[in-house]
Amino acid sequence: MERRIIGAAALEVGAVGLGCMPMNWAYTASQQNGERSLRTVHAALDRGSTLLDTADMYGPFTNELLLGRVLRERRSEAFVSTKCGLLVGDQHIVANGRPGYVKRACDASLRRLQTDVIDLYQLHRADPEVPVEETWGAMAELVTAGKVRALGLCAVGARAPRRSGARVHDGTIRQLERVQQVFPVSAVEAELSVWSPEALDALLPWCEARGVGFLAAMPLGNGFLTGTLTPGQGFEPQDVRARHPRFTAEVMAANQPVVAGLRRVAERHGDCTTPAQVALAWVLGRGRHVVPVPGAKRERWAVENAGADGVRLTDADLAEIAGLPPARESWE
């Protein structure tokens, strides 16, 4: 697999990463299986998907514990990205950016991951009660202490107020400019996909101009862009898609032209190319500093996603994708 360099710290990773969250958190609980997830992580590493993206809140904690079982055997082959700053309670999630907590959270993640250093430590969310510079300063001390190699900011879920006229990531960019004064930002993680291209407007150019890596979260549109989901199929209550404005039966049906377009492009590249691989190839083409991090909990999907590195989209392909209708939301 192609290798990509992200951030001023010159972090080298495989061009396609592995999002580990679905293995223990947020998606269909009935399909979560520890041994199968272990095989999925091993398969991803075998194919060069070295970036393993997790967080202490996934489970909570169980996703890091699962990865620790793999890292115990294959630490030298993996690039570990984990996150801190969110606490999971009973039916709620709260931010905690207090410096003392951040340091304790890092030590706990190191124990669960069975490693002595985290390659990329990300702030999952800024705490509105703590100046972000204080939180970032504590994270910078972890780099000085040798517990962390580089720092990143997670902007997944960032949204500008509707009808405010603000761009989606204006607030994120303001945060980045503040923390950049304290310690260099090596990577930003935010949503980017064929049906969620908002990061192209300002956030991706901000990163490119400063040599900051961009981890593209949800590059397959929470599974929709794979073409494997059926309108009206329903989702388990704990599944984030059960409450997502793009996953009602009506809106899934309305957004089928997006999947149909990706399928047409895939067919031009041969029987073995899938809509998911086309969607990932489109993300890969947004810049050499961009690394898509598709989530997967099954080995076959991790292998398929890794194969997107070999798909080369033509100008005609890109023009067809650019002409696809924008994704609809349930409130439209």
Side-chain angles (χ1 to χ4, degrees), residues 88-168:
V88 179
D90 185 17
Q91 303 299 316
H92 70 282
I93 297 173
V94 297
N96 188 338
R98 293 190 295 273
Y101 170 74
V102 167
K103 294 176 181 180
R104 293 193 300 273
C106 178
D107 288 341
S109 288
L110 288 168
R111 288 193 297 271
R112 287 188 291 267
L113 292 166
Q114 300 193 49
T115 185
D116 57 2
V117 64
I118 294 166
D119 297 305
L120 179 67
Y121 202 40
Q122 297 195 68
L123 178 59
H124 216 153
R125 294 289 187 281
D127 186 340
E129 303 299 323
V130 179
V132 69
E133 291 88 349
E134 292 186 15
T135 305
W136 201 256
M139 296 173 69
E141 291 179 19
L142 297 170
V143 179
T144 303
K147 297 179 179 181
V148 170
R149 291 180 61 203
L151 303 183
L153 185 72
C154 182
V156 176
R159 286 289 180 268
R162 291 177 65 79
R163 304 185 187 87
S164 70
R167 295 173 300 188
V168 168

Side-chain angles (χ1 to χ4, degrees), residues 23-25 32 54-69 112:
M23 300 174 186
N24 299 92
W25 180 255
Q32 293 171 4
T54 184
D56 57 5
M57 71 167 287
Y58 298 160
F61 311 131
T62 52
N63 198 238
E64 288 187 333
L65 287 168
L66 183 146
L67 288 185
R69 294 172 62 185
R112 287 188 291 267

Side-chain angles (χ1 to χ4, degrees), residues 37-308:
S37 293
L38 288 172
R39 292 195 296 272
T40 300
V41 180
H42 281 292
L45 291 175
D46 289 343
R47 284 155 182 83
S49 292
T50 59
L51 193 156
L52 308 178
D53 187 62
T54 184
D56 57 5
M57 71 167 287
Y58 298 160
F61 311 131
T62 52
N63 198 238
E64 288 187 333
L65 287 168
L66 183 146
L67 288 185
R69 294 172 62 185
V70 176
L71 297 176
R72 183 173 56 200
E73 305 171 16
R74 306 183 67 173
R75 181 64 183 95
S76 64
E77 302 172 61
F79 180 98
V80 182
S81 169
T82 192
K83 310 174 190 72
C84 70
L86 286 179
L87 299 175
V88 179
D90 185 17
Q91 303 299 316
H92 70 282
I93 297 173
V94 297
N96 188 338
R98 293 190 295 273
Y101 170 74
V102 167
K103 294 176 181 180
R104 293 193 300 273
C106 178
D107 288 341
S109 288
L110 288 168
R111 288 193 297 271
R112 287 188 291 267
L113 292 166
Q114 300 193 49
T115 185
D116 57 2
V117 64
I118 294 166
D119 297 305
L120 179 67
Y121 202 40
Q122 297 195 68
L123 178 59
H124 216 153
R125 294 289 187 281
D127 186 340
E129 303 299 323
V130 179
V132 69
E133 291 88 349
E134 292 186 15
T135 305
W136 201 256
M139 296 173 69
E141 291 179 19
L142 297 170
V143 179
T144 303
K147 297 179 179 181
V148 170
R149 291 180 61 203
L151 303 183
L153 185 72
C154 182
V156 176
R159 286 289 180 268
R162 291 177 65 79
R163 304 185 187 87
S164 70
R167 295 173 300 188
V168 168
H169 292 294
D170 282 354
T172 297
I173 291 173
R174 286 193 295 272
Q175 278 187 346
L176 286 166
E177 290 174 342
R178 290 170 61 185
V179 300
Q180 191 83 307
Q181 303 303 312
V182 178
F183 190 87
V185 179
S186 288
V188 175
E189 183 167 355
E191 184 173 4
L192 176 63
S193 69
V194 167
W195 77 343
S196 292
E198 294 85 0
L200 299 179
D201 183 34
L203 184 57
L204 201 62
W206 188 97
C207 292
E208 184 173 16
R210 292 159 180 81
V212 173
F214 187 93
L215 308 187
M218 293 173 278
L220 297 178
N222 301 93
F224 184 82
L225 301 179
T226 66
T228 61
L229 301 180
T230 304
Q233 69 178 58
F235 298 97
E236 296 180 11
Q238 303 94 334
D239 195 311
V240 292
R241 293 169 293 189
R243 301 172 296 282
H244 196 295
R246 291 185 183 171
F247 285 92
T248 65
E250 177 186 2
V251 174
M252 286 180 70
N255 284 329
Q256 286 302 307
V258 179
V259 174
L262 295 175
R263 187 171 283 115
R264 287 193 300 271
V265 173
E267 289 170 352
R268 293 202 289 268
H269 286 262
D271 294 339
C272 294
T273 305
T274 66
Q277 290 175 327
V278 171
L280 292 173
W282 180 88
V283 175
L284 285 166
R286 297 315 94 198
R288 295 275 306 163
H289 63 306
V290 178
V291 177
V293 189
K297 55 182 174 287
R298 291 178 180 269
E299 182 177 354
R300 66 173 288 196
W301 304 131
V303 171
E304 178 181 314
N305 293 341

